[in-house]
Amino acid sequence: MGLTWRERAFTALLGAAAVSGLTTLILFLVEATNILLPADTKFGIVFDAGSSHTSLFVYQWLANKENDTGVVSQALACRAKGPGISSYASDPAQAGESLQGCLEAALALIPKAKHQQTPMFLGATGGMRLLSQKNSSQAEDVFAAVSQALSRSPVAFWGAELLAGQDEGALGWVTINYVLGLLVQYSFSGEWIQPLEGTLVGALDMGGASTQITFVPGGPILDTTTQATFRLYGTEHSVYTHSYLCFGRDQMLNRLLAGLVQSSPSLLVRHPCYHSGYRGTLALAPLYGSPCVQAAAPRDLGQNLTVEGTGNPGACVAAIRGLFNFSSCDGRGDCAFDRVYQPPVRGQFYVEASSPGQDGQLRDYCASGLYILTLLLEGYGFSQETWGGIEFRKQAGGTDIGWTLGYMLNLTSLIPAEAPAQWRAQSYGVWVAGVVFLVLTLTAILGATVVQLWLRD
């Protein structure tokens, strides 16, 4: 037997009341979630345009800051397709196009309502430094093309610039110490506190074109050109930092091979760092295209070079040592190599060494390993006693180690925090939702009771 029209009306009224109550409850919970957030979440985008590739990072932080510095976390890491932007010197437009895939991924992650307030910056490192030395006009064209492509996005584009080597090293130091919780950390009592002094670690960065060293020395920094100062979370930090252009992994391999070519009477080169049995052919012209290669080039760069591996570690180390000028520091305790001032290394260090790219080959592994060993021991001055304090990492705390996070931390001090009025607005919204929820619920109950009494009559 079917329901009477009165019973159907009663059922419909109860259903409407339930839907209204549930909808209001959902709105209430959404508003209640907002009040649990200390403040509005902000986002930032940073492109790291290195010599071998470009990476994009999206960072987020809460608008209320701790001693004028944001507590930042990594929300996205994306590696752009293709090589570094310096490789597009002959076709600058492609440099901008190569960044679009990662940019679209970032824009999909960040809420559209926050796009206009999201800063975006591209910092170019060793590869573009070399291109600027070799052909400043081409470097300017690449930067112009990249800027034009990125400025079309809906976010706030802050520019594409050449990042100084000192800044790259110092900002990398900030990143490592931040992700390790050595600049600021959350206590069990629910407060942000400053860690004990003397726990900060040093940073070593081995890129494709350059290498950087940054640490807090045990005494005063005598050469102010090697000093960088930051004020983070209410504390001032002063570090020693220096960047060595042409001492990155890829440029080291080029310089090493060019030196062997120069000492060979023919275009057949026996490479002590390549494994025995290796034999390969490569074009000469690209080898001498970098400003880092100072060796005299053969007259006919259109020829090919044949390289055979001999697998001789002793001869390999001797060839690698020839890339340094160690004698310029003889008798000086505050010198690394090439007459560069450096205080004695101190404390624990984290090393970020670039791995071979997609075109990396097994032949280069021996040279790369022995080069890093020579750089650390004879260049930077690590010893058997201090070697145990070195850790090789690509990430720390789930965050990529590099200069980009340090840049964003420093940037947050320039972005104002939200006004307290927003807290009042959020709280008011929660109370309004709660009142509306109670009113609708009581109305639904009252209506259902009336109808039920009506059906009984």
Side-chain angles (χ1 to χ4, degrees):
M1 183 177 181
L3 298 175
T4 65
W5 70 271
R6 288 186 176 183
E7 291 172 333
R8 289 197 298 269
F10 176 64
T11 301
L13 183 58
L14 284 178
V19 171
S20 298
L22 181 60
T23 302
T24 308
L25 179 60
I26 293 174
L27 292 174
F28 173 79
L29 292 176
V30 170
E31 289 293 334
T33 301
N34 285 340
I35 199 172
L36 294 177
L37 296 175
D40 190 24
T41 301
K42 293 182 177 291
F43 294 87
I45 303 173
V46 186
F47 282 95
D48 179 2
S51 59
S52 60
H53 69 275
T54 299
S55 295
L56 171 147
F57 298 95
V58 175
Y59 297 108
Q60 62 183 19
W61 66 95
L62 300 178
N64 64 321
K65 295 179 285 189
E66 175 64 23
N67 280 338
D68 297 325
T69 307
V71 180
V72 181
S73 61
Q74 180 177 304
L76 174 69
C78 178
R79 177 165 175 162
K81 293 183 179 179
I85 61 174
S86 59
S87 302
Y88 298 101
S90 59
D91 189 4
Q94 289 301 312
E97 288 298 320
S98 69
L99 310 178
Q100 294 305 311
C102 285
L103 179 57
E104 291 174 3
L107 295 178
L109 174 69
I110 301 172
K112 289 185 178 180
K114 300 181 182 295
H115 282 180
Q116 291 185 348
Q117 293 77 39
T118 298
M120 179 170 65
F121 173 77
L122 182 143
T125 56
M128 286 300 292
R129 292 186 205 124
L130 291 177
L131 181 59
S132 297
Q133 289 185 6
K134 179 182 177 182
N135 192 320
S136 60
S137 178
Q138 285 186 333
E140 291 172 0
D141 290 343
V142 171
F143 276 123
V146 167
S147 298
Q148 184 178 15
L150 296 181
S151 62
R152 293 195 295 263
S153 65
V155 298
F157 179 51
W158 284 31
E161 300 175 3
L162 190 64
L163 193 70
Q166 307 291 83
D167 294 336
E168 182 181 3
L171 292 173
W173 177 89
V174 171
T175 296
I176 290 176
N177 283 277
Y178 173 77
V179 298
L180 293 177
L182 302 178
L183 295 179
V184 67
Q185 56 185 221
Y186 203 62
S187 68
F188 289 108
S189 61
E191 298 178 343
W192 291 101
I193 60 174
Q194 302 289 324
L196 297 175
E197 293 185 7
T199 59
L200 298 171
V201 302
L204 295 167
D205 181 16
M206 172 64 72
S210 63
T211 182
Q212 288 76 229
I213 179 171
T214 309
F215 62 98
V216 179
I221 300 174
L222 304 180
D223 183 353
T224 57
T225 63
T226 64
Q227 182 174 355
T229 303
F230 296 96
R231 186 168 184 81
L232 300 166
Y233 305 106
T235 302
E236 188 170 283
H237 301 279
S238 183
V239 298
Y240 165 86
T241 183
H242 188 79
S243 176
Y244 295 87
L245 189 60
C246 298
F247 283 86
R249 176 186 177 276
D250 296 338
Q251 293 302 321
M252 175 277 298
L253 293 173
N254 286 340
R255 293 168 57 211
L256 180 61
L257 182 56
L260 295 173
V261 172
Q262 189 176 29
S263 60
S264 176
S266 67
L267 292 179
L268 173 61
V269 174
R270 289 177 171 80
H271 203 310
C273 303
Y274 290 178
H275 55 278
S276 180
Y278 171 84
R279 185 181 177 90
T281 303
L282 53 87
L284 270 176
L287 181 63
Y288 292 90
S290 169
C292 294
V293 177
Q294 302 294 328
R299 292 183 179 181
D300 186 4
L301 288 178
Q303 301 178 83
N304 288 333
L305 178 69
T306 301
V307 184
E308 291 183 351
T310 62
N312 188 332
C316 178
V317 171
I320 288 173
R321 293 190 79 257
L323 303 178
F324 298 85
N325 183 359
F326 291 127
S327 61
S328 63
C329 289
D330 287 347
R332 291 181 54 188
D334 59 354
C335 183
F337 57 93
D338 289 3
R339 297 182 180 178
V340 175
Y341 163 79
Q342 179 194 300
V345 291
R346 169 177 174 264
Q348 187 178 7
F349 279 77
Y350 273 61
V351 181
E352 180 199 12
S354 64
S355 57
Q358 295 179 351
D359 58 345
Q361 300 185 31
L362 179 62
R363 68 181 189 193
D364 296 326
Y365 278 51
C366 180
S368 298
L370 290 176
Y371 172 69
I372 292 175
L373 188 65
T374 303
L375 175 66
L376 294 179
L377 293 179
E378 300 187 59
Y380 292 151
F382 287 92
S383 63
Q384 184 176 358
E385 290 74 24
T386 56
W387 182 264
I390 301 176
E391 291 194 36
F392 292 83
R393 296 283 188 93
K394 289 289 289 183
Q395 283 192 335
T399 301
D400 291 84
I401 296 175
W403 64 267
T404 55
L405 176 54
Y407 172 85
M408 188 56 64
L409 285 169
N410 202 38
L411 179 65
T412 59
S413 63
L414 305 177
I415 301 176
E418 297 293 335
Q422 184 177 4
W423 290 80
R424 296 195 295 270
Q426 289 176 340
S427 301
Y428 176 75
V430 172
W431 284 107
V432 169
V435 171
V436 172
F437 171 72
L438 292 175
V439 171
L440 287 178
T441 302
L442 291 174
T443 301
I445 295 173
L446 180 61
T449 302
V450 171
V451 171
Q452 192 172 21
L453 293 174
W454 177 50
L455 289 174
R456 289 180 179 177
D457 293 339

